[in-house]
Amino acid sequence: MTTPKKLYIKTYGCQMNVYDSERMAEALEGYEQTQTPDDADMILLNTCHIREKAAEKIYSELGRYRVLKDANPDLKIGVAGCVAQAEGEEIIRRQPMVDLVVGPQSYHRLPELEAKAQRGEKALDTDFPEEDKFEHLKARPKASRGPTAFLTVQEGCDKFCAFCVVPYTRGAEVSRPVDRILTEARDLVERGVREITLLGQNVNAYHGASESGEQSLAQLIWALDKVDGLERIRFTTSHPNDMTDELIEAHGTCSKLMPYLHLPVQSGSDRILKRMNRSHTRDSYLRLIERIREARPDILLSGDFIVGFPEESDADFADTLDLIREVNYGQAYSFKYSPRPGTPAAERGEVEAAVADARLQELQALLTQQQKAVQDSMVGREVDVLFEKPGRDPGQMVGKSGYLHAVHVDNCTAARGDIRRVKIVQSVRNSLGGVLV
Ligand code: 5AD
Ligand code: SF4
């Protein structure tokens, strides 16, 4: 038997990239993963292009590998993900030590690309091919898995928000067929997975083919609900306009669906929402939140916010703060607007950087305060925790509640993969402390 070569993958950006990195590692047979670039035979950067300086960061990261390549001329270096898609050949032009560039829709072609790189040729593929990459990315046999996993069900986006590169880097919206997803889910469960997070850039726009016609995300969730051994279902990221009645209802009636929803709004100003091409209003969003809370009163809401979008005034920003106060978020991600080449908003005048910075600070202070209050409100409550791994202290285990709060338990008799009732006794900075009930 030949000793396997070593593959180092560094993943940037969203959860879909985490999923893709796993699939790429599986596709590259003959390699085993290593946690450091130092002893790697192949380094793969799985990149993100969503915000500023992504490409620059990649180039400087690549620069750091120069010494490794000098020491080991057989080392192959690849760039995957959305920067690869956006920059293409330019990457090899600017950084000639890169051997391989592969866009998100071409990962199933990695083995051929790798072989080409081994022959000393530059390997580049940023097509949007017709064939289903997931069908060609069959998992290698049966490595056991941790208790939680991502599963991509939908990819790409047709919404074209004015600030966003996703429709260009990930392409048009495509849903995977229901039976493939169910097969993959059962396979994950056999390998120890208890919780699956369904992924898609626009996951609630899911409309996958099945024998009985097209199925929605809610229908897919109900099909997954019947998978024995699967205990928890989550999905992310959703668009407000695709939150259908049946999906809202599922939050009230499907016990495996966790009480957590990531529902980005981006801005609380109708004027800015319109300029963002978001196709929902402040009011329609707030009414939607109301209906979701009617179905599932304890649901923890999470959002994305952009400050400093072109032409955002003080009054627009105040509207965003106001919306945040009205919703009360338990989790949030906020960003300063970053012009992305090729998107419509990149052509417009920018808000002064100092103003945008100050707004971001103010917004984050409010969101942090809300998140802390929501986390603190868990103290005294009993929640179910899915234990994932040992904690920092001996005898301690850590896991997640249904609300996605990290929970640690000292002297814990629960094993990895167990779901146990826990009474929350303290709220510390980044997690909750509890005792088994
Ligand atoms: N500038 C800043 N934030 C952005 N996002 C997407 N594009 C941009 C951009 N050009 C944010 C949005 C989105 C999240 C994934 O990233 O809030 O929901
Ligand atoms: Fe980007 Fe999300 Fe808007 Fe699609 S819906 S364009 S992924 S921000």
PDB file of all heavy atoms in Angstrom, residues 18-19 22 144-151 188-189 191-197 230 232 234 258 385-389 398-401 404 416-419:
ATOM      1  N   VAL A  18     -17.686  25.081   4.211  1.00  0.00           N
ATOM      2  CA  VAL A  18     -17.281  23.988   5.106  1.00  0.00           C
ATOM      3  C   VAL A  18     -17.726  22.654   4.494  1.00  0.00           C
ATOM      4  O   VAL A  18     -16.957  21.695   4.406  1.00  0.00           O
ATOM      5  CB  VAL A  18     -17.896  24.167   6.513  1.00  0.00           C
ATOM      6  CG1 VAL A  18     -17.588  22.973   7.403  1.00  0.00           C
ATOM      7  CG2 VAL A  18     -17.395  25.468   7.144  1.00  0.00           C
ATOM      8  N   TYR A  19     -18.979  22.640   4.042  1.00  0.00           N
ATOM      9  CA  TYR A  19     -19.520  21.439   3.404  1.00  0.00           C
ATOM     10  C   TYR A  19     -18.714  21.091   2.142  1.00  0.00           C
ATOM     11  O   TYR A  19     -18.310  19.954   1.930  1.00  0.00           O
ATOM     12  CB  TYR A  19     -20.992  21.683   3.055  1.00  0.00           C
ATOM     13  CG  TYR A  19     -21.689  20.545   2.345  1.00  0.00           C
ATOM     14  CD1 TYR A  19     -22.262  19.501   3.058  1.00  0.00           C
ATOM     15  CD2 TYR A  19     -21.784  20.530   0.964  1.00  0.00           C
ATOM     16  CE1 TYR A  19     -22.910  18.471   2.412  1.00  0.00           C
ATOM     17  CE2 TYR A  19     -22.431  19.499   0.299  1.00  0.00           C
ATOM     18  CZ  TYR A  19     -23.000  18.467   1.028  1.00  0.00           C
ATOM     19  OH  TYR A  19     -23.643  17.447   0.386  1.00  0.00           O
ATOM     20  N   GLU A  22     -15.379  19.489   2.802  1.00  0.00           N
ATOM     21  CA  GLU A  22     -15.490  18.057   3.118  1.00  0.00           C
ATOM     22  C   GLU A  22     -15.620  17.237   1.836  1.00  0.00           C
ATOM     23  O   GLU A  22     -14.997  16.196   1.672  1.00  0.00           O
ATOM     24  CB  GLU A  22     -16.717  17.788   4.004  1.00  0.00           C
ATOM     25  CG  GLU A  22     -16.565  18.300   5.424  1.00  0.00           C
ATOM     26  CD  GLU A  22     -17.893  18.255   6.202  1.00  0.00           C
ATOM     27  OE1 GLU A  22     -18.909  17.761   5.655  1.00  0.00           O
ATOM     28  OE2 GLU A  22     -17.906  18.734   7.356  1.00  0.00           O
ATOM     29  N   SER A 144     -16.496   7.710  10.265  1.00  0.00           N
ATOM     30  CA  SER A 144     -17.538   8.092  11.214  1.00  0.00           C
ATOM     31  C   SER A 144     -17.498   9.603  11.385  1.00  0.00           C
ATOM     32  O   SER A 144     -16.506  10.253  11.098  1.00  0.00           O
ATOM     33  CB  SER A 144     -17.359   7.361  12.535  1.00  0.00           C
ATOM     34  OG  SER A 144     -16.404   8.028  13.304  1.00  0.00           O
ATOM     35  N   ARG A 145     -18.613  10.156  11.834  1.00  0.00           N
ATOM     36  CA  ARG A 145     -18.762  11.608  11.851  1.00  0.00           C
ATOM     37  C   ARG A 145     -19.115  12.086  13.242  1.00  0.00           C
ATOM     38  O   ARG A 145     -19.594  11.328  14.064  1.00  0.00           O
ATOM     39  CB  ARG A 145     -19.918  12.001  10.910  1.00  0.00           C
ATOM     40  CG  ARG A 145     -19.755  11.552   9.474  1.00  0.00           C
ATOM     41  CD  ARG A 145     -18.905  12.538   8.746  1.00  0.00           C
ATOM     42  NE  ARG A 145     -19.385  13.874   8.981  1.00  0.00           N
ATOM     43  CZ  ARG A 145     -19.696  14.736   8.017  1.00  0.00           C
ATOM     44  NH1 ARG A 145     -19.580  14.404   6.774  1.00  0.00           N
ATOM     45  NH2 ARG A 145     -20.095  15.953   8.320  1.00  0.00           N
ATOM     46  N   GLY A 146     -18.917  13.360  13.487  1.00  0.00           N
ATOM     47  CA  GLY A 146     -19.391  13.963  14.726  1.00  0.00           C
ATOM     48  C   GLY A 146     -20.907  13.994  14.713  1.00  0.00           C
ATOM     49  O   GLY A 146     -21.538  13.605  13.730  1.00  0.00           O
ATOM     50  N   PRO A 147     -21.534  14.473  15.804  1.00  0.00           N
ATOM     51  CA  PRO A 147     -22.997  14.448  15.891  1.00  0.00           C
ATOM     52  C   PRO A 147     -23.723  15.486  15.033  1.00  0.00           C
ATOM     53  O   PRO A 147     -24.929  15.393  14.880  1.00  0.00           O
ATOM     54  CB  PRO A 147     -23.286  14.700  17.364  1.00  0.00           C
ATOM     55  CG  PRO A 147     -21.992  14.947  18.031  1.00  0.00           C
ATOM     56  CD  PRO A 147     -20.879  14.825  17.061  1.00  0.00           C
ATOM     57  N   THR A 148     -22.999  16.464  14.480  1.00  0.00           N
ATOM     58  CA  THR A 148     -23.683  17.465  13.653  1.00  0.00           C
ATOM     59  C   THR A 148     -23.055  17.523  12.267  1.00  0.00           C
ATOM     60  O   THR A 148     -21.857  17.280  12.109  1.00  0.00           O
ATOM     61  CB  THR A 148     -23.584  18.880  14.266  1.00  0.00           C
ATOM     62  OG1 THR A 148     -22.213  19.276  14.274  1.00  0.00           O
ATOM     63  CG2 THR A 148     -24.132  18.915  15.679  1.00  0.00           C
ATOM     64  N   ALA A 149     -23.873  17.822  11.271  1.00  0.00           N
ATOM     65  CA  ALA A 149     -23.345  17.896   9.903  1.00  0.00           C
ATOM     66  C   ALA A 149     -24.121  18.914   9.089  1.00  0.00           C
ATOM     67  O   ALA A 149     -25.278  19.214   9.379  1.00  0.00           O
ATOM     68  CB  ALA A 149     -23.435  16.528   9.234  1.00  0.00           C
ATOM     69  N   PHE A 150     -23.465  19.440   8.083  1.00  0.00           N
ATOM     70  CA  PHE A 150     -24.109  20.286   7.085  1.00  0.00           C
ATOM     71  C   PHE A 150     -24.491  19.438   5.890  1.00  0.00           C
ATOM     72  O   PHE A 150     -23.815  18.469   5.564  1.00  0.00           O
ATOM     73  CB  PHE A 150     -23.156  21.379   6.600  1.00  0.00           C
ATOM     74  CG  PHE A 150     -22.752  22.352   7.663  1.00  0.00           C
ATOM     75  CD1 PHE A 150     -21.413  22.647   7.887  1.00  0.00           C
ATOM     76  CD2 PHE A 150     -23.707  23.000   8.431  1.00  0.00           C
ATOM     77  CE1 PHE A 150     -21.031  23.552   8.864  1.00  0.00           C
ATOM     78  CE2 PHE A 150     -23.335  23.913   9.405  1.00  0.00           C
ATOM     79  CZ  PHE A 150     -21.989  24.181   9.629  1.00  0.00           C
ATOM     80  N   LEU A 151     -25.573  19.819   5.248  1.00  0.00           N
ATOM     81  CA  LEU A 151     -25.973  19.132   4.022  1.00  0.00           C
ATOM     82  C   LEU A 151     -26.503  20.184   3.032  1.00  0.00           C
ATOM     83  O   LEU A 151     -27.530  20.817   3.298  1.00  0.00           O
ATOM     84  CB  LEU A 151     -27.064  18.097   4.362  1.00  0.00           C
ATOM     85  CG  LEU A 151     -27.309  16.927   3.426  1.00  0.00           C
ATOM     86  CD1 LEU A 151     -28.330  15.969   4.027  1.00  0.00           C
ATOM     87  CD2 LEU A 151     -27.699  17.308   2.031  1.00  0.00           C
ATOM     88  N   LEU A 188     -25.499   9.904   6.675  1.00  0.00           N
ATOM     89  CA  LEU A 188     -24.898  10.678   7.774  1.00  0.00           C
ATOM     90  C   LEU A 188     -25.337  10.116   9.127  1.00  0.00           C
ATOM     91  O   LEU A 188     -24.532   9.978  10.039  1.00  0.00           O
ATOM     92  CB  LEU A 188     -25.295  12.156   7.662  1.00  0.00           C
ATOM     93  CG  LEU A 188     -24.618  12.954   6.537  1.00  0.00           C
ATOM     94  CD1 LEU A 188     -25.306  14.305   6.349  1.00  0.00           C
ATOM     95  CD2 LEU A 188     -23.132  13.151   6.817  1.00  0.00           C
ATOM     96  N   VAL A 189     -26.624   9.796   9.227  1.00  0.00           N
ATOM     97  CA  VAL A 189     -27.146   9.266  10.499  1.00  0.00           C
ATOM     98  C   VAL A 189     -26.457   7.940  10.836  1.00  0.00           C
ATOM     99  O   VAL A 189     -26.072   7.702  11.980  1.00  0.00           O
ATOM    100  CB  VAL A 189     -28.679   9.119  10.436  1.00  0.00           C
ATOM    101  CG1 VAL A 189     -29.202   8.321  11.626  1.00  0.00           C
ATOM    102  CG2 VAL A 189     -29.335  10.496  10.391  1.00  0.00           C
ATOM    103  N   ARG A 191     -23.589   7.177  10.208  1.00  0.00           N
ATOM    104  CA  ARG A 191     -22.217   7.473  10.632  1.00  0.00           C
ATOM    105  C   ARG A 191     -22.170   8.292  11.925  1.00  0.00           C
ATOM    106  O   ARG A 191     -21.149   8.848  12.262  1.00  0.00           O
ATOM    107  CB  ARG A 191     -21.492   8.203   9.503  1.00  0.00           C
ATOM    108  CG  ARG A 191     -21.265   7.293   8.311  1.00  0.00           C
ATOM    109  CD  ARG A 191     -21.211   8.045   7.014  1.00  0.00           C
ATOM    110  NE  ARG A 191     -19.977   8.806   6.863  1.00  0.00           N
ATOM    111  CZ  ARG A 191     -19.709   9.580   5.838  1.00  0.00           C
ATOM    112  NH1 ARG A 191     -20.589   9.721   4.860  1.00  0.00           N
ATOM    113  NH2 ARG A 191     -18.586  10.237   5.767  1.00  0.00           N
ATOM    114  N   GLY A 192     -23.287   8.401  12.616  1.00  0.00           N
ATOM    115  CA  GLY A 192     -23.277   9.023  13.938  1.00  0.00           C
ATOM    116  C   GLY A 192     -23.881  10.414  14.028  1.00  0.00           C
ATOM    117  O   GLY A 192     -23.913  11.009  15.096  1.00  0.00           O
ATOM    118  N   VAL A 193     -24.359  10.954  12.900  1.00  0.00           N
ATOM    119  CA  VAL A 193     -24.906  12.312  12.914  1.00  0.00           C
ATOM    120  C   VAL A 193     -26.310  12.324  13.528  1.00  0.00           C
ATOM    121  O   VAL A 193     -27.142  11.472  13.225  1.00  0.00           O
ATOM    122  CB  VAL A 193     -24.931  12.898  11.484  1.00  0.00           C
ATOM    123  CG1 VAL A 193     -25.717  14.189  11.434  1.00  0.00           C
ATOM    124  CG2 VAL A 193     -23.503  13.125  10.992  1.00  0.00           C
ATOM    125  N   ARG A 194     -26.549  13.299  14.425  1.00  0.00           N
ATOM    126  CA  ARG A 194     -27.863  13.453  15.063  1.00  0.00           C
ATOM    127  C   ARG A 194     -28.575  14.723  14.619  1.00  0.00           C
ATOM    128  O   ARG A 194     -29.783  14.875  14.792  1.00  0.00           O
ATOM    129  CB  ARG A 194     -27.699  13.519  16.599  1.00  0.00           C
ATOM    130  CG  ARG A 194     -27.199  12.253  17.234  1.00  0.00           C
ATOM    131  CD  ARG A 194     -28.333  11.213  17.310  1.00  0.00           C
ATOM    132  NE  ARG A 194     -27.811   9.881  17.503  1.00  0.00           N
ATOM    133  CZ  ARG A 194     -27.562   9.031  16.518  1.00  0.00           C
ATOM    134  NH1 ARG A 194     -27.774   9.356  15.262  1.00  0.00           N
ATOM    135  NH2 ARG A 194     -27.088   7.837  16.765  1.00  0.00           N
ATOM    136  N   GLU A 195     -27.796  15.661  14.129  1.00  0.00           N
ATOM    137  CA  GLU A 195     -28.367  16.966  13.747  1.00  0.00           C
ATOM    138  C   GLU A 195     -27.852  17.343  12.365  1.00  0.00           C
ATOM    139  O   GLU A 195     -26.651  17.317  12.107  1.00  0.00           O
ATOM    140  CB  GLU A 195     -27.928  18.023  14.768  1.00  0.00           C
ATOM    141  CG  GLU A 195     -28.278  19.442  14.338  1.00  0.00           C
ATOM    142  CD  GLU A 195     -27.822  20.509  15.335  1.00  0.00           C
ATOM    143  OE1 GLU A 195     -28.202  20.420  16.518  1.00  0.00           O
ATOM    144  OE2 GLU A 195     -27.082  21.416  14.922  1.00  0.00           O
ATOM    145  N   ILE A 196     -28.774  17.707  11.483  1.00  0.00           N
ATOM    146  CA  ILE A 196     -28.376  18.134  10.140  1.00  0.00           C
ATOM    147  C   ILE A 196     -28.842  19.561   9.909  1.00  0.00           C
ATOM    148  O   ILE A 196     -29.989  19.909  10.180  1.00  0.00           O
ATOM    149  CB  ILE A 196     -28.962  17.188   9.066  1.00  0.00           C
ATOM    150  CG1 ILE A 196     -28.276  15.814   9.152  1.00  0.00           C
ATOM    151  CG2 ILE A 196     -28.800  17.776   7.666  1.00  0.00           C
ATOM    152  CD1 ILE A 196     -28.781  14.806   8.148  1.00  0.00           C
ATOM    153  N   THR A 197     -27.924  20.389   9.428  1.00  0.00           N
ATOM    154  CA  THR A 197     -28.281  21.747   9.008  1.00  0.00           C
ATOM    155  C   THR A 197     -28.331  21.768   7.484  1.00  0.00           C
ATOM    156  O   THR A 197     -27.320  21.526   6.814  1.00  0.00           O
ATOM    157  CB  THR A 197     -27.251  22.768   9.517  1.00  0.00           C
ATOM    158  OG1 THR A 197     -27.183  22.676  10.941  1.00  0.00           O
ATOM    159  CG2 THR A 197     -27.649  24.187   9.124  1.00  0.00           C
ATOM    160  N   LEU A 230     -32.271  10.567  13.216  1.00  0.00           N
ATOM    161  CA  LEU A 230     -32.023  12.001  13.041  1.00  0.00           C
ATOM    162  C   LEU A 230     -32.899  12.728  14.055  1.00  0.00           C
ATOM    163  O   LEU A 230     -34.115  12.536  14.068  1.00  0.00           O
ATOM    164  CB  LEU A 230     -32.375  12.444  11.614  1.00  0.00           C
ATOM    165  CG  LEU A 230     -32.209  13.941  11.332  1.00  0.00           C
ATOM    166  CD1 LEU A 230     -30.752  14.358  11.497  1.00  0.00           C
ATOM    167  CD2 LEU A 230     -32.689  14.299   9.935  1.00  0.00           C
ATOM    168  N   ARG A 232     -32.419  16.266  15.060  1.00  0.00           N
ATOM    169  CA  ARG A 232     -32.552  17.717  14.945  1.00  0.00           C
ATOM    170  C   ARG A 232     -32.350  18.165  13.504  1.00  0.00           C
ATOM    171  O   ARG A 232     -31.446  17.684  12.815  1.00  0.00           O
ATOM    172  CB  ARG A 232     -31.490  18.415  15.786  1.00  0.00           C
ATOM    173  CG  ARG A 232     -31.691  18.276  17.267  1.00  0.00           C
ATOM    174  CD  ARG A 232     -30.539  18.960  17.977  1.00  0.00           C
ATOM    175  NE  ARG A 232     -30.903  19.324  19.336  1.00  0.00           N
ATOM    176  CZ  ARG A 232     -30.203  20.123  20.111  1.00  0.00           C
ATOM    177  NH1 ARG A 232     -29.086  20.675  19.651  1.00  0.00           N
ATOM    178  NH2 ARG A 232     -30.608  20.407  21.326  1.00  0.00           N
ATOM    179  N   ARG A 234     -32.052  21.780  11.117  1.00  0.00           N
ATOM    180  CA  ARG A 234     -31.952  23.237  11.007  1.00  0.00           C
ATOM    181  C   ARG A 234     -31.814  23.581   9.539  1.00  0.00           C
ATOM    182  O   ARG A 234     -31.471  22.720   8.720  1.00  0.00           O
ATOM    183  CB  ARG A 234     -30.711  23.761  11.733  1.00  0.00           C
ATOM    184  CG  ARG A 234     -30.628  23.397  13.211  1.00  0.00           C
ATOM    185  CD  ARG A 234     -29.339  23.959  13.812  1.00  0.00           C
ATOM    186  NE  ARG A 234     -29.165  23.556  15.198  1.00  0.00           N
ATOM    187  CZ  ARG A 234     -29.748  24.137  16.242  1.00  0.00           C
ATOM    188  NH1 ARG A 234     -30.548  25.184  16.044  1.00  0.00           N
ATOM    189  NH2 ARG A 234     -29.546  23.706  17.463  1.00  0.00           N
ATOM    190  N   MET A 258     -35.536  22.801  14.884  1.00  0.00           N
ATOM    191  CA  MET A 258     -35.068  23.549  16.052  1.00  0.00           C
ATOM    192  C   MET A 258     -35.586  24.994  16.054  1.00  0.00           C
ATOM    193  O   MET A 258     -35.774  25.600  14.996  1.00  0.00           O
ATOM    194  CB  MET A 258     -33.539  23.542  16.087  1.00  0.00           C
ATOM    195  CG  MET A 258     -32.935  22.192  16.388  1.00  0.00           C
ATOM    196  SD  MET A 258     -33.355  21.580  18.047  1.00  0.00           S
ATOM    197  CE  MET A 258     -34.656  20.431  17.724  1.00  0.00           C
ATOM    198  N   VAL A 385     -29.821  19.487  25.298  1.00  0.00           N
ATOM    199  CA  VAL A 385     -28.502  19.786  24.747  1.00  0.00           C
ATOM    200  C   VAL A 385     -27.997  18.571  23.980  1.00  0.00           C
ATOM    201  O   VAL A 385     -28.043  17.442  24.478  1.00  0.00           O
ATOM    202  CB  VAL A 385     -27.505  20.159  25.880  1.00  0.00           C
ATOM    203  CG1 VAL A 385     -26.083  20.297  25.342  1.00  0.00           C
ATOM    204  CG2 VAL A 385     -27.943  21.455  26.560  1.00  0.00           C
ATOM    205  N   LEU A 386     -27.536  18.799  22.774  1.00  0.00           N
ATOM    206  CA  LEU A 386     -26.851  17.752  22.002  1.00  0.00           C
ATOM    207  C   LEU A 386     -25.356  17.912  22.273  1.00  0.00           C
ATOM    208  O   LEU A 386     -24.757  18.921  21.896  1.00  0.00           O
ATOM    209  CB  LEU A 386     -27.156  17.905  20.505  1.00  0.00           C
ATOM    210  CG  LEU A 386     -26.324  17.048  19.542  1.00  0.00           C
ATOM    211  CD1 LEU A 386     -26.450  15.560  19.857  1.00  0.00           C
ATOM    212  CD2 LEU A 386     -26.714  17.315  18.090  1.00  0.00           C
ATOM    213  N   PHE A 387     -24.783  16.922  22.947  1.00  0.00           N
ATOM    214  CA  PHE A 387     -23.367  17.033  23.325  1.00  0.00           C
ATOM    215  C   PHE A 387     -22.455  16.688  22.151  1.00  0.00           C
ATOM    216  O   PHE A 387     -22.666  15.682  21.474  1.00  0.00           O
ATOM    217  CB  PHE A 387     -23.077  16.161  24.555  1.00  0.00           C
ATOM    218  CG  PHE A 387     -23.643  16.771  25.802  1.00  0.00           C
ATOM    219  CD1 PHE A 387     -24.885  16.362  26.291  1.00  0.00           C
ATOM    220  CD2 PHE A 387     -22.971  17.793  26.455  1.00  0.00           C
ATOM    221  CE1 PHE A 387     -25.424  16.954  27.422  1.00  0.00           C
ATOM    222  CE2 PHE A 387     -23.510  18.397  27.592  1.00  0.00           C
ATOM    223  CZ  PHE A 387     -24.744  17.979  28.068  1.00  0.00           C
ATOM    224  N   GLU A 388     -21.482  17.571  21.933  1.00  0.00           N
ATOM    225  CA  GLU A 388     -20.641  17.428  20.751  1.00  0.00           C
ATOM    226  C   GLU A 388     -19.210  17.018  21.043  1.00  0.00           C
ATOM    227  O   GLU A 388     -18.587  16.316  20.256  1.00  0.00           O
ATOM    228  CB  GLU A 388     -20.624  18.741  19.954  1.00  0.00           C
ATOM    229  CG  GLU A 388     -21.972  19.065  19.341  1.00  0.00           C
ATOM    230  CD  GLU A 388     -21.999  20.412  18.628  1.00  0.00           C
ATOM    231  OE1 GLU A 388     -20.930  20.937  18.276  1.00  0.00           O
ATOM    232  OE2 GLU A 388     -23.118  20.939  18.439  1.00  0.00           O
ATOM    233  N   LYS A 389     -18.651  17.527  22.158  1.00  0.00           N
ATOM    234  CA  LYS A 389     -17.233  17.223  22.421  1.00  0.00           C
ATOM    235  C   LYS A 389     -16.859  17.548  23.859  1.00  0.00           C
ATOM    236  O   LYS A 389     -17.593  18.260  24.550  1.00  0.00           O
ATOM    237  CB  LYS A 389     -16.347  18.027  21.470  1.00  0.00           C
ATOM    238  CG  LYS A 389     -16.614  19.517  21.538  1.00  0.00           C
ATOM    239  CD  LYS A 389     -15.765  20.261  20.516  1.00  0.00           C
ATOM    240  CE  LYS A 389     -15.976  21.740  20.731  1.00  0.00           C
ATOM    241  NZ  LYS A 389     -16.108  22.554  19.585  1.00  0.00           N
ATOM    242  N   VAL A 398     -19.273  19.784  26.135  1.00  0.00           N
ATOM    243  CA  VAL A 398     -19.995  20.929  25.587  1.00  0.00           C
ATOM    244  C   VAL A 398     -20.877  20.506  24.424  1.00  0.00           C
ATOM    245  O   VAL A 398     -20.591  19.544  23.713  1.00  0.00           O
ATOM    246  CB  VAL A 398     -19.063  22.081  25.122  1.00  0.00           C
ATOM    247  CG1 VAL A 398     -18.320  22.696  26.280  1.00  0.00           C
ATOM    248  CG2 VAL A 398     -18.105  21.615  24.061  1.00  0.00           C
ATOM    249  N   GLY A 399     -21.967  21.219  24.302  1.00  0.00           N
ATOM    250  CA  GLY A 399     -22.905  20.915  23.233  1.00  0.00           C
ATOM    251  C   GLY A 399     -23.719  22.150  22.908  1.00  0.00           C
ATOM    252  O   GLY A 399     -23.371  23.256  23.329  1.00  0.00           O
ATOM    253  N   LYS A 400     -24.824  21.946  22.170  1.00  0.00           N
ATOM    254  CA  LYS A 400     -25.656  23.088  21.786  1.00  0.00           C
ATOM    255  C   LYS A 400     -27.097  22.846  22.221  1.00  0.00           C
ATOM    256  O   LYS A 400     -27.615  21.730  22.115  1.00  0.00           O
ATOM    257  CB  LYS A 400     -25.639  23.258  20.261  1.00  0.00           C
ATOM    258  CG  LYS A 400     -24.271  23.585  19.693  1.00  0.00           C
ATOM    259  CD  LYS A 400     -24.027  25.076  19.595  1.00  0.00           C
ATOM    260  CE  LYS A 400     -22.577  25.401  19.329  1.00  0.00           C
ATOM    261  NZ  LYS A 400     -22.087  24.786  18.074  1.00  0.00           N
ATOM    262  N   SER A 401     -27.724  23.921  22.638  1.00  0.00           N
ATOM    263  CA  SER A 401     -29.160  23.855  22.894  1.00  0.00           C
ATOM    264  C   SER A 401     -29.887  23.984  21.558  1.00  0.00           C
ATOM    265  O   SER A 401     -29.264  24.273  20.534  1.00  0.00           O
ATOM    266  CB  SER A 401     -29.573  24.993  23.827  1.00  0.00           C
ATOM    267  OG  SER A 401     -29.596  26.215  23.108  1.00  0.00           O
ATOM    268  N   LEU A 404     -29.231  27.032  19.701  1.00  0.00           N
ATOM    269  CA  LEU A 404     -27.865  27.156  19.191  1.00  0.00           C
ATOM    270  C   LEU A 404     -26.909  27.844  20.172  1.00  0.00           C
ATOM    271  O   LEU A 404     -25.830  28.286  19.785  1.00  0.00           O
ATOM    272  CB  LEU A 404     -27.857  27.875  17.828  1.00  0.00           C
ATOM    273  CG  LEU A 404     -26.852  27.413  16.773  1.00  0.00           C
ATOM    274  CD1 LEU A 404     -26.920  25.903  16.544  1.00  0.00           C
ATOM    275  CD2 LEU A 404     -27.098  28.108  15.437  1.00  0.00           C
ATOM    276  N   ARG A 416     -20.646  11.956  23.702  1.00  0.00           N
ATOM    277  CA  ARG A 416     -20.752  12.628  22.424  1.00  0.00           C
ATOM    278  C   ARG A 416     -21.948  12.071  21.650  1.00  0.00           C
ATOM    279  O   ARG A 416     -22.074  10.849  21.520  1.00  0.00           O
ATOM    280  CB  ARG A 416     -19.476  12.300  21.657  1.00  0.00           C
ATOM    281  CG  ARG A 416     -19.098  13.301  20.664  1.00  0.00           C
ATOM    282  CD  ARG A 416     -17.698  12.978  20.159  1.00  0.00           C
ATOM    283  NE  ARG A 416     -17.422  13.901  19.075  1.00  0.00           N
ATOM    284  CZ  ARG A 416     -16.805  13.582  17.956  1.00  0.00           C
ATOM    285  NH1 ARG A 416     -16.363  12.356  17.768  1.00  0.00           N
ATOM    286  NH2 ARG A 416     -16.623  14.494  17.033  1.00  0.00           N
ATOM    287  N   GLY A 417     -22.828  12.933  21.195  1.00  0.00           N
ATOM    288  CA  GLY A 417     -23.980  12.477  20.429  1.00  0.00           C
ATOM    289  C   GLY A 417     -25.228  12.280  21.269  1.00  0.00           C
ATOM    290  O   GLY A 417     -26.314  12.105  20.731  1.00  0.00           O
ATOM    291  N   ASP A 418     -25.093  12.320  22.594  1.00  0.00           N
ATOM    292  CA  ASP A 418     -26.278  12.203  23.468  1.00  0.00           C
ATOM    293  C   ASP A 418     -27.043  13.518  23.495  1.00  0.00           C
ATOM    294  O   ASP A 418     -26.443  14.593  23.477  1.00  0.00           O
ATOM    295  CB  ASP A 418     -25.870  11.905  24.917  1.00  0.00           C
ATOM    296  CG  ASP A 418     -25.406  10.473  25.101  1.00  0.00           C
ATOM    297  OD1 ASP A 418     -25.530   9.693  24.137  1.00  0.00           O
ATOM    298  OD2 ASP A 418     -24.906  10.158  26.205  1.00  0.00           O
ATOM    299  N   ILE A 419     -28.367  13.407  23.580  1.00  0.00           N
ATOM    300  CA  ILE A 419     -29.187  14.587  23.846  1.00  0.00           C
ATOM    301  C   ILE A 419     -29.737  14.441  25.254  1.00  0.00           C
ATOM    302  O   ILE A 419     -30.397  13.450  25.567  1.00  0.00           O
ATOM    303  CB  ILE A 419     -30.334  14.725  22.827  1.00  0.00           C
ATOM    304  CG1 ILE A 419     -29.756  14.951  21.426  1.00  0.00           C
ATOM    305  CG2 ILE A 419     -31.274  15.881  23.222  1.00  0.00           C
ATOM    306  CD1 ILE A 419     -30.783  15.050  20.323  1.00  0.00           C
TER     307      ILE A 419
END
